[in-house]
Amino acid sequence: MKTKNKFRKIAGFLVVLTLMAFSFSCKKMYDNIKPYAEETVYPQRYDTIAAKIGYERVEIDLIKAGRIPSSQIRMGKSKKTIVEYDNQKITIDSLVSWLNIKGLKQSKLYRFKVYTIDEFENKSVPQQIAVIPFTESDVKNLVIASPRIMTSPNAMVIDWTSSLSSILLTYKSLSFEYKDKTGKVITGTRGTSPRIFAANLNPGSTVAMKLSYNVIPKVGGQEIVDSITYTQTLDITLPTGETTFNPTERDILVANGVTTFNANVAAGIKKLTFPIHTNSLQDLFYFSNVTELDLTGGELFNVKTLDYNRNSVVKTIGGGKFQPFIRHVSTISNANAQAMLDLLDLGIIKKIKYIPNSLGIDELLKRYDSKNIVEWVTPPDESLIPMNFFLDGKIQDNNWATDIVNPATDAPAGTAIVNPMKITLKAASASFVFTLPKEYRFNIANYKYLKFKVYAPDKSKFTGSYSAFQKLWPRFMNYMWAFSSESAFGQEYWELDRNATPIPDSDLTKWKDVTIDLSSAKDKHNRVIVINIGGEPGGTFSPPADITYYFANFRFSK
């Protein structure tokens, strides 16, 4: 009995010890979490922040995934978006991927703090960024390139010779507004290459031209997200009828009988003629009453000339009337043809005479075909090359020497032989030349072929090493190598294969027709044709008997 009681006492004591140990253990457990009892659990924050500058606003991106709808955003317990800046607080009742903050009218540094809150208004860790928006004060510092202004007593042209875009802005378009002499308000818009032609103005008056530029400003070389309108007014005073002007093509106007260059004189001119070598039609700006243009040279102008004096060869080539196979060496630019287009669009010019492809403005003139304004001169099927364009090849090199009789009075009989010439070879590279003055090139768009007749000597003249001279080698270029200054377009040389134009034995001692396809020269500035005999075989040239050719009927053909 005593033993049992003793066991009960021991068991009870163990229970008490166990309870005490458990109590002590639990106490230590709570001691471990006690330091965290006051900690706040933050909602999820936005994963990035980046800003784009706008006009009096900024756009702030908040999610790396891009600009997505609020319905697709999942950020734990976060419910709302808060933006704070300058004592301002904006609450957005949703999560957003980007913000558009407007009304930032001061050109200063704005500091933005963006965070989320949950349903208990617990805040996330904020994202922060500082931005300076583009404002009205910045607009005042923009600089637009100044225009070029041309004036006459009753009209003006405003254009820009350089790009309107710069390191400060990207130009998009412009609109303009002014009043004509009747008080009517004239408005319009212009795109990437702005040009304003204002007509029907009062001589001597001051015209207020209001220009409104649509531009995108740049900050640090980068475009902002908004385009703005930059406005300026140009007060332009027009000359009177007695005010003189400085023409671009003075000699051409003098040939047309214009010797006093003022608006009063120009107003009385109804027709003007321009030669094929004209470089600009901009002088038409001053001739507000001209109704007819002749762009063929008419009876007023001849072909320009070019003097040669080298290697004992002295020759002036060119001169005389314009030939159908001649065109301007380059294309008149749209800018230099614009004054003509202005007068056409106003209905002032009623008639234009033009040789296709001669000035390269065909596409510009085709706009007016429906109005029956342009008389397209039809070139003949073939156009002979006059001898005023013929040149002894020795002018280039003594090794190109020939003995030339032109015209050849002893030319063999043949059918319809025109402009025969006798060529006796005197060197291994014997050649002769047809060339145009440097203001022109061949009109290959009109004439695809070069044709001529050749009469070669009998077979006995082509024995041994001289058999190489039983062929022709046509060559085409912008200038002969000794005269590189004649072309501003570099050398655009091309040639036929040296053996491409043989003269078969069966065609010796008779007139043979030769045709050369010039298609590859259509877009080249070729103005020189060299006819070489033999393909330059080299070696000593001392044939046992003269090798004499006859040529005739050099012509361009469709």
Side-chain angles (χ1 to χ4, degrees):
M1 189 70 179
K2 289 183 178 179
T3 301
K4 187 181 292 187
N5 290 335
K6 185 178 180 180
F7 177 78
R8 287 176 178 172
K9 288 181 179 180
I10 292 172
F13 180 72
L14 290 172
V15 169
V16 171
L17 286 176
T18 301
L19 290 173
M20 290 176 63
F22 179 77
S23 174
F24 181 78
S25 174
C26 289
K27 182 178 180 181
K28 290 292 185 180
M29 178 181 71
Y30 285 107
D31 284 346
N32 289 336
I33 68 171
K34 187 175 181 180
Y36 303 97
E38 301 296 325
E39 184 173 342
T40 301
V41 179
Y42 289 96
Q44 187 173 340
R45 71 172 184 169
Y46 287 112
D47 62 10
T48 190
I49 189 166
K52 296 177 181 178
I53 298 172
Y55 178 70
E56 297 185 350
R57 70 185 186 98
V58 296
E59 294 181 2
I60 299 177
D61 287 283
L62 299 167
I63 293 180
K64 292 178 181 178
R67 296 184 176 184
I68 59 177
S70 296
S71 61
Q72 297 180 17
I73 301 174
R74 301 290 183 269
M75 293 176 57
K77 294 183 178 182
S78 297
K79 299 296 183 184
K80 297 181 181 181
T81 303
I82 309 296
V83 184
E84 293 183 3
Y85 69 96
D86 274 14
N87 298 319
Q88 300 285 325
K89 183 176 181 180
I90 301 172
T91 300
I92 301 172
D93 291 333
S94 63
L95 301 177
V96 294
S97 59
W98 68 285
L99 301 165
N100 181 17
I101 302 175
K102 302 178 180 180
L104 309 177
K105 297 183 178 298
Q106 298 182 53
S107 182
K108 69 167 193 173
L109 187 70
Y110 289 84
R111 299 184 183 277
F112 297 94
K113 183 167 66 173
V114 185
Y115 56 90
T116 66
I117 60 174
D118 62 16
E119 60 182 323
F120 303 110
E121 298 195 356
N122 293 315
K123 300 178 181 179
S124 71
V125 176
Q127 293 278 20
Q128 300 185 63
I129 196 168
V131 188
I132 302 175
F134 194 89
T135 64
E136 180 63 29
S137 62
D138 297 301
V139 175
K140 295 176 182 178
N141 294 326
L142 289 179
V143 177
I144 302 279
S146 298
R148 177 179 62 179
I149 301 172
M150 295 174 59
T151 59
S152 72
N154 51 22
M156 72 171 74
V157 168
I158 302 173
D159 63 8
W160 286 259
T161 57
S162 60
S163 172
L164 284 172
S165 293
S166 67
I167 60 172
L168 297 177
L169 57 87
T170 298
Y171 165 81
K172 305 299 288 184
S173 63
L174 70 78
S175 58
F176 63 89
E177 178 182 310
Y178 69 94
K179 292 181 180 180
D180 69 9
K181 67 181 181 181
T182 68
K184 181 181 178 181
V185 176
I186 309 297
T187 61
T189 59
R190 295 293 183 267
T192 53
S193 298
R195 183 179 185 278
I196 302 167
F197 177 69
N200 197 28
L201 306 176
N202 270 324
S205 66
T206 297
V207 178
M209 179 66 69
K210 181 180 178 181
L211 302 174
S212 298
Y213 302 85
N214 176 25
V215 301
I216 302 176
K218 295 179 182 177
V219 174
Q222 299 296 314
E223 294 180 352
I224 70 171
V225 294
D226 297 317
S227 62
I228 67 167
T229 300
Y230 177 84
T231 301
Q232 66 176 175
T233 298
L234 303 177
D235 292 322
I236 302 169
T237 301
L238 302 180
T240 63
E242 291 77 23
T243 304
T244 60
F245 62 86
N246 186 26
T248 302
E249 299 278 14
R250 178 178 293 269
D251 291 343
I252 291 175
L253 295 184
V254 169
N256 278 270
V258 182
T259 55
T260 301
F261 300 102
N262 65 40
N264 287 340
V265 172
I269 304 297
K270 301 296 184 182
K271 178 181 178 180
L272 287 171
T273 298
F274 288 83
I276 289 173
H277 52 256
T278 188
N279 292 309
S280 175
L281 299 172
Q282 280 297 82
D283 288 335
L284 288 171
F285 171 72
Y286 301 103
F287 293 84
S288 57
N289 294 320
V290 67
T291 60
E292 184 176 349
L293 288 182
D294 184 342
L295 302 180
T296 70
E299 298 299 321
L300 291 182
F301 298 95
N302 288 328
V303 176
K304 283 184 169 287
T305 59
L306 182 59
D307 294 328
Y308 284 96
N309 186 345
R310 189 173 183 271
N311 292 342
S312 300
V313 177
V314 179
K315 176 73 179 290
T316 296
I317 60 99
K321 296 302 179 183
F322 283 97
Q323 303 297 320
F325 58 82
I326 295 177
R327 61 154 292 171
H328 195 287
V329 70
S330 61
T331 296
I332 291 183
S333 68
N334 287 7
N336 283 330
Q338 187 61 54
M340 174 189 69
L341 301 179
D342 291 334
L343 296 178
L344 282 167
D345 291 338
L346 290 173
I348 295 174
I349 294 178
K350 308 294 185 184
K351 180 182 179 181
I352 294 178
K353 189 175 183 180
Y354 179 72
I355 300 170
N357 304 299
S358 58
L359 294 174
I361 58 174
D362 301 58
E363 293 303 316
L364 298 179
L365 293 176
K366 285 178 182 177
R367 303 177 190 175
Y368 306 95
D369 277 349
S370 62
K371 298 181 179 180
N372 200 30
I373 292 174
V374 182
E375 177 189 345
W376 299 88
V377 178
T378 302
D381 290 342
E382 293 191 333
S383 179
L384 280 168
I385 304 178
M387 287 301 112
N388 55 321
F389 299 107
F390 176 83
L391 191 60
D392 188 337
K394 188 179 177 182
I395 194 80
Q396 163 61 33
D397 193 303
N398 283 320
N399 203 37
W400 286 23
T402 60
D403 184 8
I404 301 169
V405 178
N406 187 8
T409 56
D410 62 343
T415 302
I417 301 300
V418 181
N419 294 338
M421 53 186 173
K422 183 178 181 180
I423 307 292
T424 302
L425 282 57
K426 294 299 181 182
S429 298
S431 302
F432 58 91
V433 179
F434 287 101
T435 185
L436 301 177
K438 59 186 179 181
E439 290 84 2
Y440 313 101
R441 77 191 210 212
F442 301 121
N443 195 340
I444 308 302
N446 285 359
Y447 293 107
K448 184 179 178 181
Y449 300 101
L450 174 68
K451 294 183 178 182
F452 57 90
K453 292 179 179 291
V454 59
Y455 187 101
D458 61 77
K459 185 64 177 178
S460 66
K461 302 301 189 295
F462 301 113
T463 58
S465 61
Y466 296 97
S467 63
F469 294 92
Q470 194 177 331
K471 63 177 177 287
L472 305 177
W473 184 31
R475 310 167 76 186
F476 306 87
M477 57 198 77
N478 295 6
Y479 55 84
M480 289 176 285
W481 293 275
F483 305 95
S484 59
S485 63
E486 289 180 358
S487 175
F489 301 94
Q491 181 62 283
E492 298 174 344
Y493 175 85
W494 66 282
E495 62 187 35
L496 299 181
D497 182 89
R498 294 172 191 244
N499 299 308
T501 316
I503 302 175
D505 291 350
S506 59
D507 287 329
L508 298 175
T509 65
K510 66 172 67 172
W511 285 107
K512 170 182 169 60
D513 289 306
V514 177
T515 298
I516 299 171
D517 190 338
L518 303 175
S519 298
S520 61
K522 180 179 178 182
D523 297 319
K524 291 179 169 56
H525 299 86
N526 290 163
R527 42 173 287 276
V528 179
I529 299 171
V530 174
I531 302 296
N532 170 273
I533 303 171
E536 295 190 344
T540 301
F541 186 81
S542 183
D546 283 341
I547 301 174
T548 299
Y549 276 79
Y550 291 87
F551 293 88
N553 297 68
F554 273 95
R555 64 202 186 276
F556 287 89
S557 176
K558 293 182 178 181

